[in-house]
Amino acid sequence: MTCEATFRDAFTRAKTVPFVLLLLALGLPELSRSANYFTPVTTGPVVTDGGDSRSVNFIDYDNDGNLDLLITNGPNPGQVDFLYKGNGDGTFARIINSPIATVSAASDGGTFGDYDNDGDEDCYVATWWGQLNLFHINNGDGTFTQESGSEITSDNDYSEAATWVDYDQDGFLDLQVCNSAGALQNQLYHNDGDGTFTRVLTGLIATDGFKSRVGAWADYDNDGDQDCYVANEGNQNNNLYQNNGDGTFTKVTTGPPVTDGGQSFSASWGDYDNDGDFDLTVANSVSQTNLLYRNDGGTFTRITGSPVTTLASWSVSTAWGDIDNDGDLDLFITNAFGSLDDNNLLYTNNGDGTFVREFDDSTATDVGWSYGCAFGDVDKDGDLDLAVARCQNANENNSLYLNNGNSNHWLIVDLQALISNRSAIGTRVRVKATINGIPTWQMREVSSQSGYSGQNQMDPHFGLGDATTIDSIIVTWPSGFVTIVENVAADQYLAVTECPNVDPDADGAICTDNCPSTFNPDQADTDGDGIGDVCDNCPDITNLGQDDTDADGVGNLCDNCPSRNNPGQQDVNTDGIGDACCCVGVTGNINLAGGVDLSDLSMMIAYFTVGGVTFGCPGEANVNTLGGTDLSDLSQLISYLVAGPITLPSCP
């Protein structure tokens, strides 16, 4: 769809839209202050490739540790999307030979998620004008293959946005697609775990018919599964579907979030008051005020009188992010279609549940028509940068803003899911730190759609204010496993791996315990076989199987006598065979020369007459195995020689 034709109800999706002056809520008090949080980037492809842009997605699609960027374009009949590879320093290079960047379509909301759990992020793009949606599978080498035969690319609809989410917590990402025209029903596709999808055809989440813009997923009721809020335009009520935990949903029909109908475009979840549950903001257009709902433990209170909720605007997209690293979530809202030059809205959090509108920051003074937006640390300095898609006249340059930073501290958590979906979507991260003398908990949840046509970086970011140390990090994975990390230094990217939250040996190590059944606090592993020395029965030689045939506590691979219990590993003659496995009392081959002969008798007699003789294998002189070396052994040896000489096997 064209940028000018963005409202079907208000303007019947016409090719031209009359300019409407942005109405202000006159007479309402509005807090403001002067601050400069961002500096606009003025050079480079991101801000010079003009287009009719829609979605903004920050994602590391090539697994090089740097954020890449997708900006979709959506005029009728189509335009190629912009794919940029991030260099990790705030600059980008445009990729022009990928299917993502060469297929022309009326693209709207994009979303990335690892649908096949192969360790890289795949891309889905919703399209309008009755076109087929796009599915690009990541090949794992920085390239993509367009998939056209999947169930999720078979519906010709008027799609606005899509969201990857593991709603049934089976470890595979499912997909929701929202539609604002045509048949209207939104699509919910179940991932069957074998690379295919099945469309869900029952339940109100799949059969309701509304003019939907986006599905915002989060565990709003803190019961461990993902719930869905759908923003609808056309002055229809928005929808909230509560996950029952069994793959089905119950539609919530009472309460402010589902009774305040409007021209809703975007919805975003965020715990802006740090009370441990997710609050909700909704962006409304056509000169309506935006909405803010405080979550009070599963029920909601509509916030009025806030700068966030008192301005009549033409809002499109929303994104939460702690832009000043002070320990609370701030809010950015884009505007378009109200006047020739719309301003976007930046609200900073006061830390007490109230907000201040920032008028002087570059993100709020730049004018034009802005669509999707997203936060991400593109230069890896620990603060959130911002990208905004623009669409005025179908060729407006997009915007990239670098965060100016400050002295506040920060943490970014690199989630490495092993049992849950590999993207860690739906993972909840809680961080506790003492900020300005106050112990403070913060909470984030990984999502593939942070607002309409926007995807924030998926590695959760936390501002820490003056805290240099994090007291506790609690990661709750979709699998149900909980990982706890304590006493963490601030100002770092911290990798956290999914594992059961059990510590059987109580040594304080969980995911990193290479000897989980034996207390091993230092985690030494001399031979590098992944088994700590304390529980490794062969600590000097790699012995992954840990076979120990003789149960002497020494693994066979480093046991020089694996068939006989020989805990001391004594080897007097240094022949590589432990003394305990010499052929005691069997051969009489005292000098280990290969048989029983007069030289053995000579050595035995010397033992009794001279003394101090060192036998090649102690115990070989104990010919009759009665427990020591005495004259009876000499007699037995003489009998061998009289009957022989006897040639018997030597010691092994």
Side-chain angles (χ1 to χ4, degrees), residues 409-485:
H409 300 283
W410 54 275
L411 175 74
I412 293 177
V413 183
D414 176 12
L415 296 171
Q416 300 178 1
L418 301 177
I419 302 168
S420 303
N421 69 85
R422 291 288 297 276
S423 295
I425 290 172
T427 301
R428 175 175 291 195
V429 182
R430 299 185 66 211
V431 168
K432 180 184 179 183
T434 300
I435 302 175
N436 295 326
I438 302 173
T440 303
W441 280 101
Q442 299 181 65
M443 182 172 65
R444 307 283 188 267
E445 204 168 77
V446 181
S447 175
S448 72
Q449 195 80 182
S450 49
Y452 173 53
S453 289
Q455 183 175 9
N456 288 348
Q457 69 174 41
M458 291 202 291
D459 291 342
H461 165 272
F462 296 86
L464 299 172
D466 62 352
T468 58
T469 302
I470 298 99
D471 174 86
S472 306
I473 302 172
I474 302 177
V475 180
T476 304
W477 307 86
S479 64
F481 290 142
V482 178
T483 304
I484 300 174
V485 187

Side-chain angles (χ1 to χ4, degrees), residues 579-601:
D579 297 345
C581 71
C582 284
C583 304
V584 177
V586 175
T587 69
N589 180 19
I590 298 173
N591 61 9
L592 302 180
V596 180
D597 54 23
L598 291 176
S599 64
D600 299 294
L601 178 61

Side-chain angles (χ1 to χ4, degrees), residues 368-407:
W369 282 1
S370 299
Y371 218 88
C373 61
F375 288 111
D377 183 14
V378 301
D379 49 5
K380 304 185 76 169
D381 61 354
D383 48 41
L384 292 177
D385 310 298
L386 175 67
V388 179
R390 295 182 177 271
C391 63
Q392 193 173 75
N393 299 320
N395 63 358
E396 187 177 6
N397 285 331
N398 297 312
S399 297
L400 177 64
Y401 302 93
L402 296 183
N403 197 312
N404 295 329
N406 55 40
S407 61

